[in-house]
């Protein structure tokens, strides 16, 4: 199964993908995680995109498409994947159609005030990317990842000015993909404001996985 996760920043794409990927036996491919790993490792790509990520801007399509093309060629991505955060523009969606068309695009609907609240309280593991929230999904030991013992930190783009830019970019560049996939009969829309388990249950029901 080839799935795309759509939705504004903070909609819970990464959180639900972390539940869905092991359940479905699919790799969870997050372009944001791939870019953050490149920044951390100070690769040529990482050095190019570091400032863009911190400000909340979008990485140019050309670089993003090349990164995804390379990742989808890996052996674990042959029979399916969950793409989280890609495509994010119409040219990216067109490129994916040429590379490997998705079966469904799952759109998580969450109001702006909810995503702003979630992002300003999010923490993530610097080493493995596991997602936490200081309000309701804390690591057992403060600042230490439950999964790998890595450092739990606040993402550079979870500051007020970057969150605003990300939401603006989402509205302008990414939200049009909802109709783009809708008109191709591939769109599934899920309310993303319940707790993570409730949203995951709605996701399974929408895909007919509870039968
Ligand atoms: P990316 O990492 O994809 O960031 P994003 O799209 O802004 O999305 P987020 O990761 O912020 O939100 P999410 O929906 O995954 O929410 P999460 O599950 O963490 O991209 C980062 C940057 O990389 C971009 O800004 C851009 O610069 C670049 N980039 C990436 N892809 C690109 C592309 N295709 N083209 C160009 N540039 C690209 O949840 C958020 C918080 O809410 C967490 O604390 C979580 O614990 C909590 N939470 C989640 N679900 C629930 C729930 N149901 N109930 C309560 N709390 C919840
Ligand atoms: Mg994410």
């Amino acid at each position: 199964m080839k799935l795309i996760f759509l939705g504004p920043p903070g909609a819970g794409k990464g959180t639900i993908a972390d539940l869905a990927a092991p359940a479905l036996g699919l790799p969870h491919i997050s372009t944001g995680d791939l870019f953050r790993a490149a920044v951390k490792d100070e690769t040529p790509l990482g050095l190019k995109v570091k400032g863009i990520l911190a400000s909340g801007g979008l990485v140019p399509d050309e670089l993003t498409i090349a990164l995804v093309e390379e990742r989808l060629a890996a052996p674990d991505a042959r029979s399916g994947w969950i793409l989280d955060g890609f495509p994010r523009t119409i040219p990216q969606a067109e490129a994916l159609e040429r590379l490997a068309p998705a079966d469904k695009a799952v759109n998580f609907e969450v109001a702006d005030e909810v995503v702003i609240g979630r992002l300003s309280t999010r923490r993530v593991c610097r080493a493995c990317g596991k997602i936490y929230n200081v309000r309701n999904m804390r690591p057992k030991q403060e600042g230490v990842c439950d999964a790998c013992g890595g450092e739990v930190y606040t993402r550079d783009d979870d500051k007020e000015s970057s969150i605003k830019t990300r939401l603006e970019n989402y509205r302008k560049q990414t939200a049009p993909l909802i109709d783009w996939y809708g008109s191709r009969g591939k769109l599934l829309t899920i309310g993303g404001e319940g707790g993570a388990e409730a949203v995951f249950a709605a996701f399974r029901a929408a895909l007919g996985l509870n039968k």
Side-chain angles (χ1 to χ4, degrees):
M1 197 177 342
K2 297 186 172 86
L3 297 176
I4 288 164
F5 279 11
L6 284 176
K13 302 180 295 294
T15 300
I16 302 303
D18 279 341
L19 296 171
L24 299 176
L26 298 172
H28 168 196
I29 301 174
S30 154
T31 40
D33 285 349
L34 293 173
F35 285 131
R36 278 184 291 278
V39 170
K40 179 168 154 263
D41 295 342
E42 299 183 337
T43 66
L45 174 68
L47 296 175
K48 249 186 227 165
V49 303
K50 185 176 181 183
I52 301 176
L53 258 71
S55 70
L58 284 186
V59 175
D61 284 338
E62 212 177 272
L63 288 178
T64 308
I65 292 165
L67 178 80
V68 169
E69 186 168 5
E70 192 187 327
R71 180 62 186 86
L72 294 188
D76 69 330
R78 279 209 192 112
S79 50
W81 28 254
I82 295 175
L83 267 179
D84 157 13
F86 182 94
R88 216 177 272 230
T89 63
I90 302 271
Q92 291 180 15
E94 288 167 348
L96 185 65
E97 285 293 297
R98 292 192 293 272
L99 281 173
D103 301 311
K104 294 283 175 201
V106 184
N107 178 38
F108 295 91
E109 280 189 329
V110 181
D112 280 6
E113 58 274 19
V114 176
V115 301
I116 291 166
R118 285 181 182 177
L119 293 175
S120 52
T121 51
R122 172 168 58 188
R123 303 289 183 272
V124 296
C125 174
R126 208 184 276 284
C128 73
K130 189 171 165 58
I131 303 161
Y132 296 95
N133 192 286
V134 295
R135 282 199 299 220
N136 48 18
M137 297 181 211
R138 290 168 174 273
K140 290 191 189 88
Q141 190 186 336
E142 200 182 328
V144 181
C145 178
D146 295 345
C148 76
E151 181 204 354
V152 172
Y153 82 118
T154 301
R155 266 171 49 174
D156 293 344
D157 57 349
D158 280 346
K159 54 179 187 278
E160 206 181 320
S161 61
S162 306
I163 293 173
K164 191 166 169 272
T165 307
R166 284 154 66 202
L167 278 169
E168 282 166 8
N169 284 333
Y170 169 76
R171 271 188 219 104
K172 271 192 238 144
Q173 310 249 58
T174 310
L177 291 176
I178 297 170
D179 283 346
W180 199 90
Y181 282 108
S183 68
R184 285 160 178 78
K186 292 187 176 183
L187 187 70
L188 292 176
T189 298
I190 292 177
E193 293 191 7
E197 284 301 332
V199 176
F200 183 45
F203 163 82
R204 287 198 309 269
L207 281 173
L209 298 173
N210 289 337
K211 288 168 200 153

